[in-house]
């Protein structure tokens, strides 16, 4: 108790130094919080793009239907809460009254896609829980080039297998990347329930059967993938995550994490160096007080504990200014940083990160002594 009183008296009697020390530490920690917030924001944006390519957190794909035993193994490994969407993809022929054309068909369920979106000409932006006119009757979403190739327009009908389907909308943009770049055939979306009646989807049909899963945010997807790869031994079955759905996005995340981590390390080193010289200069001025304490019977260890408690209290007092300064700084940085990185980012204060940085800063302050 006496040590605490003496430490607090040191802070009170040296108010100018204490305020300057707290302000210096708060500015340094706020910079670290801003760097970490930028890192998390860009990573989240890139991960959302990666998830948009897969349209889910996890995908189990094969060129055939899973056997009952494989299905049982799959669902045993999944968490209690998840959402599932089945997708069938195949190349097939579509026929208009005058000609036919090879298309890349994608039979989806109503909750597709879990992530990302599809922009349609008439219905607008389509997301997971958006009502879709594709499921009201046998109908198709097509790319505009298919309409040109078959000389069709919205409202015309085409033959797919043994059924007629009406073209109800045009795809202008697809976050999954379907139709982007080189493709053998223009993509076409159809409701899986209606497509099954066409006779083109049956045992022996050539195509890719995918099960897309949206998982709770608390689930470690990498651990789940390892378990599924162990249980589903057939190499024909592929287990994919949003991270490896796009190797390019995955590489960007690795480079970004390494670079911003290095920036944070440099910022932490510079802040610690400034704090070191600041507190050492203060201690040099306190040598006379230390000598008096030693004459009064204080052991060197008790004197060490006094100034250790002193620096810990100052570090604790710097937490609130750090949080306030960070909450004011991040909104001001968001607009210029968006222009710099050329992507939409949302800077926000992660309390968990601020506390970790704060604890790490206290440890560094302690080692200065």
């Amino acid at each position: 108790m006496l040590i605490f009183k003496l430490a607090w008296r040191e802070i009170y009697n040296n108010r100018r130094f204490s305020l300057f020390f707290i302000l210096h530490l708060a500015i340094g920690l706020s910079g670290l919080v801003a760097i970490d917030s930028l890192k998390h924001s860009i990573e989240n944006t890139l991960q959302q793009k990666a998830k948009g390519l897969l349209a889910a957190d996890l995908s189990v794909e094969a060129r055939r239907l899973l056997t009952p035993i494989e299905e049982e193994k799959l669902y045993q490994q999944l968490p209690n809460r998840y959402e599932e969407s089945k997708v069938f993809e195949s190349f097939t022929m579509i026929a208009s009254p005058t000609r036919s054309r090879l298309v890349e068909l994608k039979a989806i369920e109503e909750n597709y896609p879990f992530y990302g979106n599809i922009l349609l000409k008439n219905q607008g932006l389509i997301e997971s829980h958006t009502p879709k006119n594709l499921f009201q009757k046998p109908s198709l979403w097509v790319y505009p080039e298919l309409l040109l190739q078959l000389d069709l327009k919205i409202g015309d009908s085409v033959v797919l297998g043994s059924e007629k389907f009406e073209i109800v909308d045009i795809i202008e943009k697809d976050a999954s990347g379907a139709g982007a770049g080189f493709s053998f055939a223009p993509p076409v979306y159809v409701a899986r329930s209606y497509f099954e009646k066409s006779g083109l989807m049956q045992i022996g049909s050539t195509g890719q059967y995918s099960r897309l899963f949206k998982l709770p945010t608390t689930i470690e997807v990498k651990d789940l993938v390892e378990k599924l790869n162990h249980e589903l031994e057939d190499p024909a079955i592929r287990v994919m995550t949003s991270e490896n759905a796009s190797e390019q996005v995955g590489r960007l995340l690795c480079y970004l994490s390494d670079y911003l981590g290095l920036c944070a390390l440099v910022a932490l080193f510079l802040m610690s160096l400034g704090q070191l010289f600041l507190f050492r200069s203060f201690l040099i001025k306190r040598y006379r007080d230390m000598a008096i304490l030693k004459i009064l019977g204080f052991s060197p260890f008790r004197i060490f504990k006094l100034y250790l408690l002193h620096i810990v209290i100052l570090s604790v007092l710097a937490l609130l200014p750090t949080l306030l300064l960070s909450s004011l700084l991040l909104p001001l940085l968001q607009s210029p940083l968006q222009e710099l990185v050329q992507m939409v980012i949302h800077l926000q204060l992660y309390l968990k990160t601020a506390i970790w940085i704060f604890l790490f800063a206290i440890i560094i302050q302690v080692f200065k002594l």
Side-chain angles (χ1 to χ4, degrees):
M1 192 66 181
L2 176 61
I3 295 291
F4 181 81
K5 287 182 178 179
L6 289 174
W8 187 255
R9 185 175 295 173
E10 282 285 343
I11 294 172
Y12 182 79
N13 291 337
N14 299 276
R15 293 186 291 275
R16 290 180 62 185
F17 166 78
S18 300
L19 290 173
F20 184 73
F21 185 92
I22 290 172
L23 182 61
H24 184 276
L25 184 59
I27 292 173
L29 292 178
S30 298
L32 289 175
V33 170
I35 292 174
D36 186 78
S37 177
L38 175 63
K39 176 183 175 181
H40 278 87
S41 180
I42 296 178
E43 282 182 351
N44 290 338
T45 300
L46 292 177
Q47 284 175 352
Q48 287 299 321
K49 289 186 177 181
K51 288 181 178 181
L53 291 173
L54 188 66
D57 293 307
L58 181 73
S59 171
V60 179
E61 305 172 356
R63 302 291 294 180
R64 58 172 176 80
L65 290 169
L66 298 183
T67 65
I69 295 176
E70 289 170 340
E71 284 189 350
E72 183 179 355
K73 289 181 178 179
L74 169 62
Y75 290 115
Q76 281 178 350
Q77 297 300 328
L78 291 174
N80 294 329
R81 295 180 294 106
Y82 63 87
E83 292 183 56
E84 180 182 5
S85 183
K86 296 178 182 178
V87 177
F88 175 76
E89 298 175 76
S90 178
F91 288 97
T92 188
M93 297 298 294
I94 191 170
S96 71
T98 57
R99 65 192 78 172
S100 59
R101 180 72 168 85
L102 180 70
V103 296
E104 184 183 351
L105 186 133
K106 198 165 187 176
I108 62 172
E109 294 186 339
E110 198 160 1
N111 56 355
Y112 177 92
F114 291 126
Y115 299 103
N117 51 65
I118 303 170
L119 180 61
L120 301 177
K121 183 176 181 180
N122 292 335
Q123 200 177 355
L125 203 63
I126 298 296
E127 295 179 331
S128 178
H129 299 293
T130 306
K132 303 172 179 66
N133 56 16
L134 197 65
F135 296 86
Q136 297 173 2
K137 58 184 177 181
S139 51
L140 303 174
W141 293 339
V142 302
Y143 270 76
E145 55 263 33
L146 183 63
L147 298 181
L148 293 174
Q149 292 165 0
L150 296 180
D151 192 22
L152 297 172
K153 61 183 184 299
I154 293 178
D156 289 343
S157 295
V158 293
V159 176
L160 193 61
S162 59
E163 297 290 325
K164 278 190 174 184
F165 290 82
E166 180 185 340
I167 297 173
V168 294
D169 222 323
I170 299 173
I171 303 169
E172 294 187 341
K173 187 178 180 182
D174 188 355
S176 69
F182 178 78
S183 178
F184 287 107
V188 170
Y189 280 84
V190 62
R192 186 184 174 104
S193 55
Y194 289 115
F195 178 67
E196 289 175 349
K197 301 175 183 178
S198 68
L200 294 175
M201 185 177 173
Q202 54 188 332
I203 296 175
S205 297
T206 302
Q208 179 170 279
Y209 298 83
S210 302
R211 295 168 186 257
L212 306 180
F213 297 97
K214 182 180 181 182
L215 305 172
T217 54
T218 54
I219 299 298
E220 285 291 339
V221 181
K222 290 183 179 178
D223 295 339
L224 180 58
V225 169
E226 289 180 4
K227 293 178 182 178
L228 290 175
N229 283 326
H230 178 73
E231 293 293 332
L232 304 173
E233 299 174 351
D234 189 344
I237 302 174
R238 292 197 308 162
V239 181
M240 295 184 62
T241 67
S242 58
E243 291 183 0
N244 54 34
S246 170
E247 294 182 0
Q248 184 178 4
V249 173
R251 286 196 297 269
L252 282 173
L253 282 174
C254 291
Y255 295 153
L256 171 72
S257 181
D258 292 343
Y259 176 73
L260 290 180
L262 183 62
C263 289
L265 200 61
V266 171
L268 186 63
F269 172 76
L270 293 175
M271 182 199 72
S272 302
L273 195 63
Q275 291 281 294
L276 173 64
F277 283 105
L278 188 62
F279 198 72
R280 284 293 174 88
S281 63
F282 171 76
L283 288 179
I284 290 172
K285 295 178 181 178
R286 310 307 295 170
Y287 278 167
R288 180 179 296 179
D289 295 336
M290 294 180 192
I292 293 173
L293 289 173
K294 197 169 183 180
I295 292 172
L296 292 175
F298 274 69
S299 65
F301 180 68
R302 289 191 71 187
I303 296 174
F304 171 78
K305 286 199 301 182
L306 167 63
Y307 286 98
L308 176 63
L309 184 59
H310 180 203
I311 199 170
V312 169
I313 293 174
L314 288 177
S315 300
V316 171
L317 292 175
L319 178 59
L320 183 58
T322 299
L323 297 178
L324 290 175
L325 191 59
S326 298
S327 61
L328 294 173
L329 183 65
L330 293 179
L332 297 176
L333 289 175
Q334 181 163 309
S335 180
L337 286 176
Q338 280 188 163
E339 294 180 5
L340 180 65
V341 299
Q342 293 297 307
M343 66 172 63
V344 178
I345 58 174
H346 301 284
L347 297 181
Q348 57 180 327
L349 177 62
Y350 295 92
L351 185 59
K352 182 179 178 181
T353 300
I355 291 174
W356 273 112
I357 291 176
F358 167 72
L359 292 176
F360 193 57
I362 289 181
I363 294 172
I364 290 176
Q365 305 290 350
V366 169
F367 276 105
K368 292 174 187 176
L369 296 176

